[in-house]
Amino acid sequence: MFGIRTATKFAGSVLLMAMLANCGGADGDAAARQENLEIFTPQQIFERGEFELARKRNKDAAYFFSEVERLYPYSELAKQALIMQAFTFHSGKDYESSRGAAQRYIDFYPTDEDAAYAQYLLALSYYDQIDEIGRDQGLTFQALQALRTVIEVYPDSEYASSAILKFDLAFDHLAGKEMEIGRYYLRQGHFTSAINRFRVVVEDFQTTSHTAEALHRLVEAYLSLGLVDEAQTAGAILGHNYQSTEWYEDSFKLLTSNGLKLKDRGGNWLSQIYRQSVKGEWL
């Protein structure tokens, strides 16, 4: 499972399973559950967690894994139980609990072979919520930071390539949110606010898939404000770097229909970007 060392396969008797079934879950109070579990070995409790996980009963599985850690904190299985908690919580979409377990693993076992996976799970606990958070981008930034840690601290791990892909997608997501807000302002006629959003995409997210559209929207917004030098320079950047896109075609028609050219007019923030792109410093 994602490179985690697997424990001994579940081999408990029917009687053992029946006895453990009375522990955990909703029956009895916490003291009774604790007393019942203390008669079992860490291996038996761990196997019960695996059994519940196989049945997709994530909450129960996490409970048994946590009990291994609590009752036998110095056992080798406690370490495995902790990473299994992180995985099980994440599988059940309890991202906060998954993140907590993963962080504890990193804190307790920073050099262990599963530390890279713990860091990856921590990053996923943010990443997998990106589409659920509306315009609040805090979790996206945290996902980027956690994914960067996987890439930089564990570059040779099996999770590095996946982290790179997810980092790029999260980065693109941030740019997409800026575009979404910028387009809203543009439709409402708030051109200065729209320009500020599109400028962020062009300056800070220039390697994403949204840059060409951001430049076209800058052409639209600047023309609406009568700032033709900026509009022409944005068009020139489009012409140099994105001539095969529909956004270049739209900007070309828009500018030429107003008797303007796609050329650097100088004296504005876009001129520096144009000079950089001509020199090949960014594309």
Side-chain angles (χ1 to χ4, degrees):
M1 183 186 301
F2 296 95
I4 303 175
R5 297 185 306 279
T6 56
T8 303
K9 296 296 184 182
F10 172 72
S13 67
V14 174
L15 176 60
L16 175 60
M17 287 297 101
M19 293 173 65
L20 274 167
N22 293 323
C23 305
D27 296 330
D29 58 24
R33 291 199 298 270
Q34 177 180 342
E35 181 179 355
N36 289 336
L37 281 181
E38 286 177 345
I39 68 175
F40 297 103
T41 67
Q43 183 71 44
Q44 290 169 333
I45 302 171
F46 188 93
E47 288 174 355
R48 177 65 188 193
E50 290 186 314
F51 177 75
E52 296 296 349
L53 183 60
R55 296 199 294 169
K56 301 187 184 302
R57 296 179 60 170
N58 298 83
K59 184 177 293 186
D60 290 335
Y63 168 76
F64 286 105
F65 290 134
S66 68
E67 286 298 279
V68 174
E69 183 191 8
R70 185 181 67 83
L71 293 173
Y72 302 97
Y74 303 109
S75 67
E76 179 64 22
L77 275 177
K79 188 189 329 183
Q80 290 180 255
L82 182 53
I83 194 69
M84 288 302 293
Q85 283 181 67
F87 170 78
T88 302
F89 280 129
H90 188 270
S91 297
K93 298 185 178 181
D94 185 351
Y95 298 119
E96 184 175 353
S97 296
S98 175
R99 186 158 56 247
Q103 186 61 62
R104 288 206 312 280
Y105 193 95
I106 295 167
D107 292 341
F108 295 159
Y109 314 108
T111 61
D112 189 81
E113 63 182 283
D114 283 330
Y117 180 60
Q119 180 63 44
Y120 184 67
L121 274 176
L122 192 153
L124 288 184
S125 73
Y126 295 117
Y127 179 85
D128 287 349
Q129 296 182 81
I130 286 177
D131 290 334
E132 303 174 5
I133 58 176
R135 291 182 178 175
D136 179 8
Q137 297 305 294
L139 289 181
T140 308
F141 281 111
Q142 289 173 305
L144 286 168
Q145 291 174 345
L147 288 166
R148 184 185 293 276
T149 299
V150 176
I151 297 165
E152 294 180 350
V153 178
Y154 308 102
D156 299 323
S157 73
E158 61 186 292
Y159 313 106
S161 59
S162 178
I164 291 171
L165 175 61
K166 286 179 170 56
F167 184 94
D168 290 341
L169 291 173
F171 198 63
D172 198 81
H173 179 85
L174 282 179
K177 284 298 180 181
E178 293 292 334
M179 291 299 300
E180 179 184 332
I181 299 170
R183 285 191 294 265
Y184 171 78
Y185 284 140
L186 193 62
R187 289 193 299 270
Q188 299 299 313
H190 303 313
F191 302 117
T192 300
S193 296
I195 287 169
N196 289 336
R197 295 291 181 167
F198 300 138
R199 178 172 181 171
V200 168
V201 175
V202 172
E203 289 187 325
D204 298 335
F205 298 96
Q206 58 204 221
T207 59
T208 69
S209 61
H210 300 281
T211 307
E213 183 187 354
L215 288 164
H216 170 66
R217 300 303 180 189
L218 284 169
V219 171
E220 291 182 321
Y222 279 128
L223 283 180
S224 297
L225 291 174
L227 300 174
V228 295
D229 287 352
E230 288 82 352
Q232 289 180 100
T233 305
I237 298 171
L238 262 174
H240 190 273
N241 294 300
Y242 306 99
Q243 194 164 2
S244 62
T245 66
E246 61 180 300
W247 305 115
Y248 167 75
E249 295 177 4
D250 291 344
S251 285
F252 181 85
K253 293 175 183 177
L254 186 58
L255 288 165
T256 55
S257 66
N258 283 277
L260 301 172
K261 297 181 179 180
L262 287 73
K263 62 181 298 184
D264 175 26
R265 299 298 297 177
N268 56 75
W269 67 273
L270 284 161
S271 295
Q272 182 178 356
I273 292 177
Y274 176 80
R275 290 192 296 271
Q276 290 172 340
S277 66
V278 168
K279 295 178 180 179
E281 296 178 10
W282 73 273
L283 296 175

